[in-house]
Amino acid sequence: AIQMTQSPSSLSASVGDRVTITCRASQGIRNDLGWYQQKPGEAPKLLIFAASTLHTGVPSRFSGGGSGTDFTLTISSLQPEDFATYYCLQDYDYPLTFGQGTRLDIK
Amino acid sequence: QVQLQESGPGLVKPSQTLSLTCSVSGGSIVTDSYYWSWIRQPAGQGLEWIGRVFSSGSTNYNPSLKSRLSISVDTSKNQFSLRLNSVTAADTAIYYCARSARTVVGATFPWGQGILVTVSS
């Protein structure tokens, strides 16, 4: 199975900060990657697909990049509603695999 | 828009079979554009992909669960289902159903709200 290594596992930041989360695949996965946001008690929500395409309705402060094995999720200016846990998911090959998650909380 | 809703028992005894159904509304489950997935999340932990089914009935399973797992689709009811047998406490989790795009990579949405299943005697 393809392993997705996400870092950092947790991150403290302030409103207005720029933050970047990374996801590294154990083998090349082209751009077959999505980023998801999960808030406590809720199901995950799609933010970005195909590594860099913003899902409908997602604010433009979110952006994704990368291809092959290294990927990033950047939030350009943190808003209060962005404090959540973020996951990457590869669907290049099955079993699909998630990163272990990055918990983003308020400093 | 398409919505998904999980249903099933919230409590299952060890060694028995966990059975869940995902009802799809707002669109047909019969489509070549999407497949239908199950994902789970133990309390306080990360997400694990369980498997997926196409409206044709073909499936892909996580090898870690394959020997105990069956996912099926009922097009007449616009539903798909999960059966996991010989459950243990390690199968206690929130189970989500979700729709994934076949030709748009990395796009799994929407998700159901999730259902907590506890394995306990």
Side-chain angles (χ1 to χ4, degrees):
Chain A
I2 297 172
Q3 292 188 355
M4 304 301 296
T5 303
Q6 197 172 328
S7 62
S9 56
S10 64
L11 177 59
S12 294
S14 301
V15 172
D17 284 354
R18 177 185 180 91
V19 300
T20 296
I21 298 167
T22 65
C23 210
R24 174 164 290 175
S26 59
Q27 67 182 73
I29 59 169
R30 300 182 305 198
N31 69 335
D32 297 5
L33 182 121
W35 288 98
Y36 296 80
Q37 177 193 66
Q38 186 179 33
K39 296 181 178 179
E42 297 182 5
K45 293 179 181 176
L46 176 66
L47 296 175
I48 288 170
F49 61 91
S52 60
T53 303
L54 210 59
H55 182 48
T56 304
V58 175
S60 59
R61 63 181 179 273
F62 291 91
S63 64
S67 68
T69 59
D70 294 309
F71 302 87
T72 58
L73 171 69
T74 298
I75 310 172
S76 61
S77 179
L78 277 171
Q79 298 302 302
E81 61 268 29
D82 300 337
F83 292 95
T85 300
Y86 294 85
Y87 295 93
C88 62
L89 168 64
Q90 70 80 18
D91 64 2
Y92 175 78
D93 194 11
Y94 70 90
L96 278 61
T97 44
F98 291 88
Q100 73 270 34
T102 295
R103 178 176 173 174
L104 176 57
D105 56 28
I106 301 173
K107 185 183 289 184
Chain B
Q1 71 275 19
V2 171
Q3 293 183 314
L4 287 75
Q5 177 72 58
E6 304 89 351
S7 60
L11 181 64
V12 181
K13 289 181 169 37
S15 80
Q16 295 192 343
T17 298
L18 183 162
S19 295
L20 297 174
T21 295
C22 183
S23 299
V24 179
S25 60
S28 175
I29 202 169
V30 180
T31 171
D32 289 336
S33 298
Y34 299 99
Y35 54 87
W36 308 93
S37 300
W38 287 99
I39 295 151
R40 70 181 182 178
Q41 184 173 38
Q45 297 186 39
L47 298 159
E48 180 183 31
W49 183 79
I50 298 171
R52 65 189 181 189
V53 63
F54 299 82
S55 58
S56 63
S58 63
T59 54
N60 297 123
Y61 296 151
N62 192 320
S64 68
L65 299 169
K66 187 174 182 178
S67 63
R68 301 190 289 130
L69 180 63
S70 175
I71 298 175
S72 60
V73 63
D74 186 337
T75 57
S76 67
K77 295 182 178 179
N78 226 38
Q79 295 175 336
F80 62 106
S81 298
L82 172 150
R83 286 174 59 86
L84 184 66
N85 57 36
S86 304
V87 297
T88 70
D91 296 308
T92 295
I94 296 173
Y95 286 75
Y96 296 102
C97 58
R99 183 188 72 171
S100 300
R102 291 187 68 173
T103 58
V104 178
V105 293
T108 292
F109 77 98
W111 297 53
Q113 65 184 26
I115 184 169
L116 174 62
V117 178
T118 301
V119 178
S120 175
S121 55

